[in-house]
């Protein structure tokens, strides 16, 4: 492997008819930070390359450049208007391996170029699916749901990868992932196999990135970049799956206009039916919408049919696997504060957490932490709210 084999970070951009999803800009911001640092450390000129698939994408490439892309590879075709996994996988894989594109991104290294060094996807329902199928196609590894990225030179000794000898892996992407409800960090590496008996390169080093973790960079319309038009190649069999009709289903749970959201998690466990009813009263008293954590949508408790079908449903999940909310007041009741949940409520103005565990991660994410069991704390809140209401009405 030479330094020219693998170059740049490629980022798979998501948008809905030209409306960029926030996670795309967040990935660009993080890639820009990472590659500026990378280029300084390694005296290099590797680029941030946005990969944009769509139909009539208009001004989107300009916006991507203004948010940090050095180049935008634009595959514009009516067949790419909406995501279909088969053809999107094919086109992203084609783009990743295309020397013509590499030539336009950085002519100097184009003859050696094999693949991108790094490849990012959003960790949402589209990006999670695509990342898996693209990386299978490119025969490399994937780290999913990442919330921190570090480039490092690492000395590794591994039975299979290095044949038991210490070998330095340059420019390795350390991909950090919160596991076990965010209580443990796992660092995932995607390493070439340098054991002479099993030699195989694993590039790009790829990951999907949790939405809401990285900041959107400030738009700078004076930035310049290269827009590379790419004509995707399809076979007839790639187009067998057709989109005949498409309906965007609007959720019946309206979090957008709710000024307050009361969410609960596994902390309801001691008496789920009574606790959920108590939370329902609190929400009704302050006119709040009700949210839940992901495990609650898997119906872990035995409760009445009406509670089950009203509250323990995927539509109410707050977080990366569910909804993003930004109310004036957010109650987190019996919620530990895992990163995947926090990403969905981080933009709330005032966060009040109720939890007996002072070490719960939610303590670092809230404005008011009430240490105690919900069974003791929520009734006090309710009583006080009722008193206040009587004073106002009198
Ligand atoms: C790929 C992936 C995606 C995910 N997406 C999401 C997502 O979108 N949204 C999401 O929420 N999670 C998501 N998760 C799960 C997430 O990692 C956590 O496991 C989950 O958020 C934890 O839920 P919890 O806080 O209800 O439960 P726990 O972590 O079990 O926390 C329960 C809390 O209740 C407290 N408690 C106990 N008794 C009481 C009491 N009597 N009164 C008050 N508090 C009490 C405890 O101290 C504890 O802090 C995802 C995980 C993965 C791997």
């Amino acid at each position: 492997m030479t330094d020219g084999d693998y170059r740049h970070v490629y980022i798979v951009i998501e948008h809905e008819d030209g409306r960029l999803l926030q996670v795309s800009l967040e990935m660009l911001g993080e890639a820009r930070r990472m590659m500026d640092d990378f280029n300084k450390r390694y005296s290099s000129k590797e680029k941030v390359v946005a990969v944009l698939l769509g139909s009539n994408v208009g001004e989107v490439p300009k916006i991507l450049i203004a948010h940090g892309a050095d180049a935008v590879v634009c595959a514009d075709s009516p067949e790419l208007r909406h995501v279909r996994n088969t053809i999107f996988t094919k086109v992203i894989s084609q783009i990743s391996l295309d020397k013509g594109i590499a030539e336009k991104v950085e002519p100097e290294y184009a003859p050696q170029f094999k693949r991108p060094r790094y490849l990012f996807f959003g960790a949402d329902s589209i990006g999670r699916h695509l990342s898996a199928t693209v990386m299978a196609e490119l025969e490399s590894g994937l780290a999913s749901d990442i919330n921190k990225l570090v480039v490092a030179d690492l000395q590794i000794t591994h039975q299979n990868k290095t044949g038991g000898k210490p070998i330095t892996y340059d420019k390795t992407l350390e991909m950090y992932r919160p596991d076990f409800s965010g209580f443990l960090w796992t660092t995932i590496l995607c390493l070439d196999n340098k054991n002479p008996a099993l030699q195989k390169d694993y590039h790009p080093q790829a990951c999907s990135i949790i939405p809401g973790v990285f900041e959107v960079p400030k738009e700078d319309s004076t930035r310049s970049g290269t827009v590379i038009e790419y004509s995707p190649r399809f076979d007839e069999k790639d187009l067998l799956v057709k989109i005949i009709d498409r309906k965007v289903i609007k959720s019946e749970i309206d979090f957008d206009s709710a000024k307050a959201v009361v969410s609960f998690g596994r902390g309801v466990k001691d008496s789920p039916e009574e606790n959920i009813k108590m939370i329902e009263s609190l929400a009704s008293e302050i006119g709040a919408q009700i949210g839940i954590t992901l495990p609650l949508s898997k119906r872990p408790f035995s409760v009445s049919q009406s509670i089950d079908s009203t509250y323990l449903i995927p539509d109410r999940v707050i977080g990366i696997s569910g909804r993003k909310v930004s109310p004036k007041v957010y109650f987190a009741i019996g919620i530990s504060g895992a990163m995947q949940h926090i990403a969905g409520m981080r933009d709330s103005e005032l966060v009040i957490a109720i939890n007996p565990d002072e070490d719960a991660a939610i303590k670092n994410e809230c404005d008011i932490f009430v240490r105690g069991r919900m069974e003791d704390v929520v009734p006090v809140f309710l009583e006080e709210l009722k008193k206040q209401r009587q004073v106002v009405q009198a």
Side-chain angles (χ1 to χ4, degrees):
M1 186 192 117
T2 71
D3 210 31
D5 287 0
Y6 306 117
R7 308 254 331 150
H8 321 304
V9 52
Y10 282 31
I11 296 158
V12 176
I13 299 298
E14 283 186 45
H15 64 102
E16 259 290 322
D17 275 334
R19 236 176 350 97
L20 283 162
L21 266 59
Q22 182 98 338
V23 67
S24 298
L25 299 177
E26 292 163 3
M27 287 192 289
L28 270 182
E30 179 58 9
R32 185 72 271 154
R33 177 205 65 76
M34 196 177 96
M35 293 317 281
D36 285 347
D37 181 52
F38 178 106
N39 287 333
K40 217 181 280 166
R41 271 167 58 200
Y42 297 110
S43 305
S44 190
K45 287 182 186 161
E46 296 199 25
K47 312 289 184 205
V48 173
V49 181
V51 177
L52 176 67
L53 276 58
S55 174
N56 292 326
V57 291
E59 296 292 291
V60 179
K62 260 196 203 159
I63 301 173
L64 297 172
I65 290 168
H67 284 86
D70 295 306
V72 180
V73 183
C74 193
D76 199 321
S77 155
E79 295 293 355
L80 297 174
R81 174 154 183 218
H82 299 301
V83 178
R84 271 176 290 168
N85 187 272
T86 351
I87 54 174
F88 268 56
T89 298
K90 187 162 195 172
V91 176
I92 295 165
S93 307
Q94 282 171 5
I95 289 173
S96 302
L97 302 175
D98 195 288
K99 274 184 183 282
I101 291 173
E103 165 87 42
K104 288 178 184 145
V105 172
E106 193 191 31
E108 192 185 344
Y109 284 96
Q112 295 123 279
F113 178 88
K114 283 191 189 156
R115 285 146 178 256
R117 186 185 292 287
Y118 311 124
L119 178 57
F120 296 171
F121 298 82
D124 53 16
S125 52
I126 289 173
R128 282 207 194 112
H129 190 187
L130 262 181
S131 55
T133 48
V134 170
M135 296 322 293
E137 189 68 27
L138 295 177
E139 293 188 21
S140 187
L142 170 72
S144 59
D145 299 305
I146 295 307
N147 69 347
K148 184 175 160 192
L149 293 160
V150 176
V151 174
D153 298 335
L154 303 174
Q155 199 182 63
I156 307 275
T157 308
H158 187 271
Q159 202 53 40
N160 286 333
K161 291 273 176 188
T162 69
K165 294 196 182 103
I167 293 185
T168 301
Y169 284 76
D170 290 340
K171 302 165 188 158
T172 301
L173 191 58
E174 293 183 328
M175 299 174 274
Y176 289 74
R177 180 196 148 99
D179 273 318
F180 297 102
S181 294
F183 300 119
L184 186 80
W185 287 80
T186 314
T187 313
I188 301 173
L189 308 176
C190 178
L191 302 173
D192 292 339
N193 203 328
K194 299 193 184 195
N195 181 345
L198 304 164
Q199 195 120 22
K200 184 165 168 25
D201 285 1
Y202 290 98
H203 273 81
Q205 302 172 56
C207 63
S208 63
I209 291 180
I210 298 177
V213 169
F214 296 119
E215 279 189 18
V216 172
K218 277 211 178 88
E219 185 166 356
D220 175 1
S221 49
T222 63
R223 285 196 84 251
S224 59
T226 315
V227 179
I228 302 163
E229 305 291 343
Y230 179 74
S231 303
R233 300 181 298 275
F234 307 121
D235 296 331
E236 221 168 274
K237 71 172 179 5
D238 299 326
L239 302 173
L240 286 177
V241 175
K242 298 195 189 313
I243 298 175
I244 293 160
D245 192 11
R246 193 168 179 274
K247 284 197 184 90
V248 178
I249 300 166
K250 201 165 161 26
S251 168
E252 284 174 14
I253 318 293
D254 177 16
F255 283 114
D256 296 336
S257 54
K259 291 204 164 47
V261 173
V262 176
S263 288
F264 61 90
R266 277 195 288 224
V268 296
K269 64 185 182 334
D270 289 343
S271 30
E273 180 85 19
E274 290 71 24
N275 284 342
I276 295 172
K277 282 189 175 151
M278 181 175 75
I279 287 162
E280 193 181 33
S281 305
L282 174 64
S284 146
E285 192 63 34
I286 59 174
Q289 189 51 270
I290 294 184
I292 58 171
T293 57
L294 183 69
L296 271 287
S297 68
K298 314 274 193 254
R299 308 188 146 118
F301 307 118
S302 156
V303 288
S304 62
Q305 173 60 29
S306 70
I307 291 281
D308 185 275
S309 59
T310 312
Y311 298 119
L312 307 188
I313 53 173
D315 234 9
R316 291 195 185 268
V317 172
I318 307 293
I320 60 165
S321 313
R323 314 280 294 271
K324 195 161 188 242
V325 298
S326 49
K328 286 197 176 309
V329 185
Y330 187 86
F331 277 87
I333 304 181
I335 292 176
S336 57
M339 165 65 66
Q340 293 93 345
H341 183 80
I342 300 301
M345 46 65 77
R346 170 167 284 140
D347 294 338
S348 307
E349 277 182 34
L350 179 81
V351 177
I352 303 169
I354 302 172
N355 199 310
D357 178 8
E358 273 212 66
D359 295 327
I362 192 74
K363 194 171 174 208
N364 301 323
E365 301 288 343
C366 66
D367 301 286
I368 300 170
F369 182 79
V370 185
R371 182 165 57 81
R373 288 164 47 80
M374 67 178 82
E375 294 85 343
D376 303 326
V377 178
V378 176
V380 178
F381 262 87
L382 271 169
E383 202 178 316
E384 199 53 41
L385 281 164
K386 280 180 186 151
K387 266 195 224 153
Q388 301 276 348
R389 188 183 291 278
Q390 280 160 7
V391 172
V392 173
Q393 282 168 352

